[in-house]
Amino acid sequence: MTSNQQVPGLPGAQRAERADGLPFQPHALAATRAAASAAALIAAGVGVLSLTGWIFDIVALKRVLPGVTTVMKANTAVAVIALGLSLYVVGRGPVRSRTAAAARAAAALTTVIGALALVEYATGANLHIDELLFTDNTADPGTPGRMAPNTAAALTLGGAAALCASARRVPAWISQIAGLAVLALGTLRLYGAAYRVPELERFGPYTGMALHTALALVLLGGALFLVRPDEGPAGLLTNAGTTGALGRRLFVTALIVPPLLGWGILVGEDAELFGTRLGTALLVCGHTIAFSAVIFAALAVGRRVEVAHGRLEWQVRQNQLLQAFMDNTPAVVFVKDVEGRYLAVNTTFEKSLNLSREQVLGRRDKDVMPSPLAGEVRASDLSVLRAGKPLQREELLTLPDGPREFLSTLFPLHDASGTPYAVCGVVTDITERAAAQRELERAHRRFRALLESAPDATLIADGKGTIVMANAQVEPLFGRTPDDLVGTQVVDLVPESWRRRHGALLCAYLGLRDPQPTVVDRDLYGLHRDGTHFPVEVSISSLQAERETLVVLSVRDITERRRAEAERAERYEQHRRIAYTLQRSLMGEPPSLPYLPSAYRYLASLQDPGVGGDWFDVIPLDGRRTGVVVGDVMGRGLEAAAVMGQLRAASHALARTGCTPSGLMTALDSFVGDLAGQLVTCVYLIVDRDTGDVTLCSAGHPPVLVRPPDGPTRRLPAPIGVPLGVNDASGGGVPFEEATHALPPGSLLVLYTDGLVERPGTDIEARIDVLARTVDRAPKDAPADPELLDQEADRVVGTLIPDMSAHDDDVTLLLIGVPGADGGRGRG
């Protein structure tokens, strides 16, 4: 079978198959979908005509025939229009998501209208939906405006079926069976009209179904059944095979023959030849249902026959594909007899020698190949025949278009007695593959040269940590040659006490989904062959091989670096102690006043040289007043400490002159304004022992907290002020205001800088609340006892900053006990 032959039974694109082997005609399916959409659109048109009659009160549009009492209700018309449009959209095939959503919404509207009517019939309730749109003045028997119960049932079924039909995940048979039920309800009404059986028009005292409603239901039921014609029961009718043709004929018969028979029977009954009309009508309906069931049973049997036939055809095609295999394989395939005559060749063989099949078959190698090549090929054939087993080898053959490299596989074909009667050969052109292999070997040599040129000891390990390659630099580092390391574990190059940790790090890296190159130099050690160990830095990265991920480890001895780092750390610590001593000298030691119990804590940040801009001071003033100031220069380092020293001295001097808190802030603001680029927060308050008043002024500083002896800790109200250095030095800006509060004796004042309460990613207001709750737990007599205040300062700092080593800001906390007037005099 040549490559240009076609498999019989599949003429181009005129036929196709389903996944189960059942044939169908694409054009026929498109026509069926178009018919379903047309039926749905016609049904919607019937609903539009009836709704128009209601809008313009045209009786002729509400009734189909004069004298007919039943009309299509307004709600029925709306539901029929919605269902028809929904099926029209679904029947057209895939649409945009918005259009599909609109179609489902229309189907859902139909379902809701029908279901609400059924609920009214079932419960006897009036939901006031029947005359929601129009007042029913048609004098139709039953509840005004309410659709017939059989109409409500059909619309409910139809709407639900349309929702199922629009969802491809829902089996098609669900919507199709429901569509047949809708069709049956409409047909039943038409039968009642045709056979003049009023019992099929209405049930009891309820509203009857209108004729054009029945016609619309028949159209909608048919559209529901055919909207997915290649699936479910409809697929049995639309397939292009024998069963489809049989089913269509039987179905048409079922739709035509029983009504005609019923009509004939009724004619006989009118002639008083036999039975009642009702019995005949019901008999015809029963015949129709039974006939349809027989059709589908026959279709199911026919479908199984066609599936089996399709499988048989598939097997035949497989055999044909096997026959075509030799012609379509890219390798050269041939079969020779023991004399060397060609019995069969493939198309690739013809192309390789530029000879047609007719020029090769029946001839020997010497007749179709150059003499040197023919001799080599014949010798290979004879060796295979003598050995009686397959032979595979690579060889270089000179062809008309130049030398080529081939992988030849030769094997003998034996008869029943085991005697070879032919030689079969499969020759694959591996010229490009061999060239790629040689290039791969050159790349491997280049990679090896690159590996050896690396300045560090480099190890390549597999996913289990086994070393597969190492460069020469490992010998001076570990005292072992690369060949000694291949096949050993990476952790063998680590001191025994560190192997578990090193192995865990390697496993964690290998367990990453997308491992990135990284450098590790903390707590890693290498082991020399003589037993000594040394600190190392390891650069680790992944290397994607053909079948696995390898790990590349570049190891460097960092003994000298560690020594240099230790020296730098020692010098840094010396500088840090010097800077810390400098700041302490600038800050000074606040006086201990016996009449004003206090405790303070200043903690420098461990993340920098230890120099910051926090300061505080307790300043005895004239009379029985005492000034307290806490400030924070933004930033850290020697510059911030220098500014802090100047501000502490300035605030101390200004306070001694008797400045009010607001006046002191105004003076400090002018001072800071002369310092370019500085920003300072500060709070200054004066405690009056005679009156118990506290007067304070804040320049953008965190609020002062106060814990009265008889209540919870709260913020001490103060006017909002801007930080020092914000106002324009030339004048103007936000003025500094002060506030005075009378505090009962025994109150506890809490002053602090933002380093105590500020944390990245947290609300500073919430942290101040935490500080307030912490102060609430202080003993009631703590404000009068300096020793208790000192213990409370430790507790507050430990609660707010549990790990000072990880804190990146300096911290100041000042606790002040408010004395009473008498107590103050006694202590003074």
Side-chain angles (χ1 to χ4, degrees), residues 286 451 657 695:
L451 183 66
T657 64
T695 303

Side-chain angles (χ1 to χ4, degrees), residues 510-567:
L510 291 172
L512 296 175
R513 177 177 298 178
D514 185 19
Q516 299 296 318
T518 186
V519 177
V520 184
D521 62 353
R522 296 186 60 183
D523 298 331
L524 294 183
Y525 294 90
L527 178 65
H528 196 271
R529 191 166 194 168
D530 60 7
T532 60
H533 61 271
F534 48 90
V536 296
E537 173 190 87
V538 179
S539 299
I540 182 170
S541 60
S542 61
L543 174 65
Q544 190 64 42
E546 292 182 356
R547 297 183 179 179
E548 63 179 338
T549 300
L550 301 179
V551 179
V552 181
L553 303 163
S554 296
V555 186
R556 177 178 297 178
D557 186 348
I558 57 173
T559 303
E560 293 302 323
R561 185 202 300 177
R562 286 284 184 262
R563 185 178 296 112
E565 289 174 352
E567 293 175 356

Side-chain angles (χ1 to χ4, degrees), residues 163-518:
L163 287 172
C164 295
S166 63
R168 284 290 171 180
R169 294 183 179 180
V170 178
W173 63 267
I174 296 178
S175 61
Q176 291 171 358
I177 295 300
L180 289 177
V182 173
L183 187 147
L185 288 172
T187 304
L188 194 64
R189 172 62 180 95
L190 294 179
Y191 285 167
Y195 301 144
R196 297 193 298 277
V197 180
E199 288 85 350
L200 296 180
E201 175 187 352
R202 62 167 45 88
F203 299 98
Y206 302 115
T207 302
M209 181 189 294
L211 278 177
H212 45 325
T213 300
L215 176 61
L217 291 178
V218 169
L219 292 172
L220 293 172
L224 277 168
F225 183 76
L226 297 175
V227 76
R228 289 166 67 176
D230 55 341
E231 301 176 66
L236 298 174
L237 285 176
T238 59
N239 78 83
T242 305
T243 55
L246 176 62
R248 288 189 291 273
R249 289 177 175 82
L250 291 175
F251 199 77
V252 170
T253 302
L255 291 178
I256 295 176
V257 173
L260 292 178
L261 290 175
W263 178 79
I265 291 174
L266 288 177
V267 170
E269 288 178 349
D270 288 341
E272 298 182 352
L273 297 177
F274 46 79
T276 64
R277 296 179 183 275
L278 179 59
T280 302
L282 293 176
L283 180 61
V284 171
C285 292
H287 285 173
T288 303
I289 295 171
F291 206 176
S292 299
V294 171
I295 290 172
F296 287 114
L299 288 177
V301 175
R303 184 174 184 274
R304 287 195 294 270
V305 172
E306 286 195 350
V307 170
H309 184 263
R311 290 173 180 169
L312 181 60
E313 286 187 345
W314 180 85
Q315 187 62 48
V316 171
R317 288 195 298 273
Q318 293 304 305
N319 294 336
Q320 293 169 344
L321 291 174
L322 290 176
Q323 292 175 9
F325 169 75
M326 197 166 69
D327 279 334
N328 291 281
T329 183
V332 172
V333 181
F334 59 85
V335 181
K336 305 176 188 176
D337 61 15
V338 293
E339 300 298 328
R341 286 184 292 265
Y342 284 97
L343 302 177
V345 296
N346 69 343
T347 311
T348 309
F349 186 99
E350 299 177 70
K351 293 178 180 178
S352 63
L353 294 180
N354 293 324
L355 295 173
S356 66
R357 189 167 305 184
E358 290 74 16
Q359 293 173 308
V360 176
L361 296 180
R363 300 177 184 272
R364 292 183 172 89
D365 296 320
K366 62 181 181 179
D367 300 325
V368 298
M369 296 181 184
S371 297
L373 178 59
E376 295 178 15
V377 171
R378 183 56 183 164
S380 300
D381 295 345
L382 293 175
S383 63
V384 170
L385 291 172
R386 284 193 300 267
K389 59 182 180 181
L391 174 66
Q392 187 177 74
R393 64 183 181 184
E394 294 183 14
E395 51 191 350
L396 180 64
L397 300 178
T398 302
L399 299 180
D401 58 350
R404 307 287 292 179
E405 293 185 64
F406 292 93
L407 176 63
S408 301
T409 302
L410 302 175
F411 53 91
L413 300 179
H414 300 88
D415 58 19
S417 62
T419 303
Y421 66 89
V423 176
C424 183
V426 179
V427 182
T428 305
D429 189 342
I430 60 168
T431 305
E432 287 77 12
R433 186 197 306 175
Q437 181 64 30
R438 289 191 292 270
E439 180 60 31
L440 180 62
E441 292 174 356
R442 285 195 294 270
H444 179 76
R445 289 194 295 270
R446 289 195 295 268
F447 174 75
R448 187 73 201 190
L450 179 64
L451 183 66
E452 293 298 339
S453 66
D456 298 325
T458 303
L459 306 168
I460 299 179
D462 61 15
K464 298 180 181 178
T466 303
I467 299 173
V468 297
M469 189 178 296
N471 65 357
Q473 281 70 26
V474 299
E475 188 167 1
L477 187 65
F478 297 105
R480 302 174 65 178
T481 65
D483 293 338
D484 291 339
L485 293 181
V486 173
T488 63
Q489 294 294 310
V490 173
V491 293
D492 292 342
L493 300 175
V494 177
E496 188 171 355
S497 58
W498 294 89
R499 288 179 183 175
R500 176 176 295 181
R501 180 178 181 275
H502 286 50
L505 290 174
L506 182 59
C507 291
Y509 182 81
L510 291 172
L512 296 175
R513 177 177 298 178
D514 185 19
Q516 299 296 318
T518 186

Side-chain angles (χ1 to χ4, degrees), residues 727-764:
N727 288 329
D728 190 352
S730 61
V734 180
F736 295 98
E737 301 178 8
E738 60 186 46
T740 301
H741 302 279
L743 299 182
S747 297
L748 177 62
L749 291 170
V750 182
L751 294 87
Y752 52 94
T753 58
D754 59 1
L756 181 67
V757 294
E758 199 170 44
R759 291 291 182 278
T762 61
D763 183 6
I764 191 171

